[in-house]
Amino acid sequence: MNVRSKRLIAIAVLVLLVTIAGGAGFDRWRATRHHITFGALPQFGSLIAATDDVEVTGKAMCGFCYWGEGGKSCNVVLKIAAEPGVVFLSPNEKVNEIEKITGKCANGKVEIKARGIISQYDGHNYLFVRSFEKMAAN
Protein backbone atom coordinates (compact mmCIF):
# COMPACT_ATOMS: atom_id res chain seq x y z
CA MET A 1 0.00 0.00 0.00
CA ASN A 2 1.45 3.34 -0.91
CA VAL A 3 1.40 6.54 1.09
CA ARG A 4 -1.38 8.07 -1.00
CA SER A 5 -3.78 5.16 -0.28
CA LYS A 6 -3.03 5.29 3.45
CA ARG A 7 -3.70 9.02 3.45
CA LEU A 8 -7.08 8.56 1.66
CA ILE A 9 -8.09 5.83 4.12
CA ALA A 10 -7.13 8.04 7.08
CA ILE A 11 -9.16 10.96 5.67
CA ALA A 12 -12.17 8.68 5.05
CA VAL A 13 -12.00 7.36 8.64
CA LEU A 14 -11.76 10.91 10.03
CA VAL A 15 -14.75 12.04 7.94
CA LEU A 16 -16.74 9.03 9.18
CA LEU A 17 -15.89 9.76 12.83
CA VAL A 18 -16.78 13.45 12.47
CA THR A 19 -20.10 12.52 10.84
CA ILE A 20 -20.98 10.08 13.64
CA ALA A 21 -20.02 12.59 16.35
CA GLY A 22 -21.98 15.35 14.61
CA GLY A 23 -25.06 13.12 14.29
CA ALA A 24 -24.93 12.17 17.96
CA GLY A 25 -24.56 15.82 18.94
CA PHE A 26 -27.48 16.82 16.72
CA ASP A 27 -29.67 14.08 18.26
CA ARG A 28 -28.83 15.31 21.75
CA TRP A 29 -29.59 18.91 20.76
CA ARG A 30 -32.88 17.93 19.07
CA ALA A 31 -33.99 15.94 22.13
CA THR A 32 -33.51 18.96 24.40
CA ARG A 33 -35.35 21.35 22.06
CA HIS A 34 -38.64 19.46 21.62
CA HIS A 35 -40.08 18.85 25.05
CA ILE A 36 -43.71 17.82 24.83
CA THR A 37 -45.81 19.60 27.40
CA PHE A 38 -49.41 18.66 27.93
CA GLY A 39 -52.18 20.73 29.41
CA ALA A 40 -53.94 19.60 32.54
CA LEU A 41 -56.66 17.02 32.03
CA PRO A 42 -59.95 18.94 32.33
CA GLN A 43 -61.32 16.51 34.89
CA PHE A 44 -63.18 17.98 37.85
CA GLY A 45 -65.72 17.02 40.47
CA SER A 46 -66.81 13.46 41.09
CA LEU A 47 -66.83 10.54 38.68
CA ILE A 48 -70.01 9.13 37.16
CA ALA A 49 -71.20 6.08 39.13
CA ALA A 50 -70.69 2.73 37.40
CA THR A 51 -73.85 1.63 35.58
CA ASP A 52 -74.95 -0.58 32.70
CA ASP A 53 -76.78 2.11 30.75
CA VAL A 54 -75.62 5.70 30.54
CA GLU A 55 -75.68 8.39 27.86
CA VAL A 56 -72.79 10.84 27.54
CA THR A 57 -72.57 13.74 25.09
CA GLY A 58 -69.35 15.61 24.46
CA LYS A 59 -66.69 16.75 22.03
CA ALA A 60 -64.51 13.89 20.77
CA MET A 61 -60.84 14.66 21.49
CA CYS A 62 -57.57 12.74 21.59
CA GLY A 63 -56.67 12.04 25.23
CA PHE A 64 -53.02 11.41 24.44
CA CYS A 65 -52.35 14.35 22.12
CA TYR A 66 -54.14 16.95 24.25
CA TRP A 67 -53.41 15.75 27.80
CA GLY A 68 -50.93 12.84 27.61
CA GLU A 69 -53.54 10.49 29.13
CA GLY A 70 -55.03 7.16 28.19
CA GLY A 71 -51.98 5.27 26.99
CA LYS A 72 -49.02 5.80 24.68
CA SER A 73 -50.97 6.51 21.49
CA CYS A 74 -54.05 8.34 20.26
CA ASN A 75 -57.33 7.49 22.00
CA VAL A 76 -60.77 9.04 21.98
CA VAL A 77 -62.22 10.80 25.01
CA LEU A 78 -65.39 12.83 25.27
CA LYS A 79 -64.87 16.26 26.80
CA ILE A 80 -68.12 17.10 28.56
CA ALA A 81 -69.35 20.24 30.29
CA ALA A 82 -70.67 18.45 33.41
CA GLU A 83 -68.71 16.50 36.01
CA PRO A 84 -66.26 14.77 35.61
CA GLY A 85 -65.20 16.81 32.55
CA VAL A 86 -63.88 13.90 30.48
CA VAL A 87 -64.93 10.32 29.80
CA PHE A 88 -62.48 7.91 28.16
CA LEU A 89 -63.92 5.54 25.56
CA SER A 90 -62.89 1.91 25.98
CA PRO A 91 -61.57 0.55 22.68
CA ASN A 92 -64.09 -1.54 20.74
CA GLU A 93 -65.66 -1.67 17.28
CA LYS A 94 -67.99 1.26 18.00
CA VAL A 95 -65.02 3.44 18.98
CA ASN A 96 -63.36 2.40 15.71
CA GLU A 97 -66.48 3.72 13.93
CA ILE A 98 -66.23 6.99 15.89
CA GLU A 99 -62.58 7.28 14.83
CA LYS A 100 -63.67 6.98 11.19
CA ILE A 101 -65.77 10.13 11.74
CA THR A 102 -63.30 12.07 13.91
CA GLY A 103 -60.00 10.74 12.58
CA LYS A 104 -57.56 8.73 14.72
CA CYS A 105 -56.47 11.88 16.57
CA ALA A 106 -59.78 13.59 17.35
CA ASN A 107 -59.54 17.38 17.56
CA GLY A 108 -62.75 18.37 19.35
CA LYS A 109 -64.65 19.45 16.24
CA VAL A 110 -67.18 16.60 16.36
CA GLU A 111 -69.78 16.22 19.10
CA ILE A 112 -70.79 12.64 19.88
CA LYS A 113 -73.68 11.25 21.93
CA ALA A 114 -72.62 7.80 23.15
CA ARG A 115 -74.59 5.22 25.12
CA GLY A 116 -73.11 2.24 26.93
CA ILE A 117 -71.64 0.77 30.10
CA ILE A 118 -69.63 3.14 32.27
CA SER A 119 -67.03 2.09 34.82
CA GLN A 120 -64.33 3.67 36.95
CA TYR A 121 -60.64 2.83 36.77
CA ASP A 122 -57.56 4.64 38.02
CA GLY A 123 -59.49 7.82 38.84
CA HIS A 124 -61.19 8.11 35.43
CA ASN A 125 -64.49 7.09 33.84
CA TYR A 126 -64.41 4.63 30.95
CA LEU A 127 -67.38 4.13 28.64
CA PHE A 128 -67.82 0.88 26.72
CA VAL A 129 -69.78 2.26 23.76
CA ARG A 130 -72.79 0.22 22.63
CA SER A 131 -74.25 2.88 20.33
CA PHE A 132 -73.53 6.46 19.34
CA GLU A 133 -74.63 9.23 17.06
CA LYS A 134 -72.85 12.23 15.64
CA MET A 135 -74.53 15.36 17.00
CA ALA A 136 -72.65 18.22 15.33
CA ALA A 137 -69.38 19.18 13.74
CA ASN A 138 -67.67 22.58 13.84
Side-chain angles (χ1 to χ4, degrees):
M1 211 180 242
N2 63 25
V3 174
R4 188 174 201 172
S5 296
K6 288 181 184 178
R7 200 176 280 163
L8 284 175
I9 291 172
I11 291 172
V13 169
L14 280 173
V15 167
L16 180 64
L17 290 174
V18 167
T19 303
I20 291 171
F26 177 72
D27 262 357
R28 198 169 331 163
W29 173 82
R30 186 177 51 89
T32 62
R33 293 286 186 236
H34 299 293
H35 289 287
I36 297 174
T37 55
F38 297 107
L41 185 67
Q43 184 168 306
F44 59 91
S46 58
L47 296 176
I48 300 169
T51 183
D52 288 342
D53 190 33
V54 68
E55 185 175 276
V56 178
T57 303
K59 301 248 181 217
M61 300 184 77
C62 178
F64 179 74
C65 293
Y66 284 92
W67 305 293
E69 294 281 345
K72 301 274 184 211
S73 63
C74 295
N75 57 77
V76 180
V77 302
L78 294 181
K79 183 178 178 187
I80 58 178
E83 290 182 359
V86 292
V87 173
F88 289 82
L89 302 184
S90 296
N92 68 4
E93 290 187 23
K94 294 294 182 185
V95 174
N96 292 342
E97 291 176 26
I98 291 172
E99 287 177 348
K100 288 178 185 173
I101 296 169
T102 65
K104 182 72 175 166
C105 184
N107 59 8
K109 293 186 177 183
V110 177
E111 189 167 350
I112 300 287
K113 182 192 301 184
R115 180 176 286 284
I117 302 169
I118 199 156
S119 61
Q120 298 177 357
Y121 175 74
D122 197 25
H124 303 298
N125 275 128
Y126 287 86
L127 179 67
F128 183 85
V129 180
R130 289 184 173 159
S131 64
F132 73 92
E133 63 184 274
K134 178 180 170 184
M135 300 299 290
N138 295 339

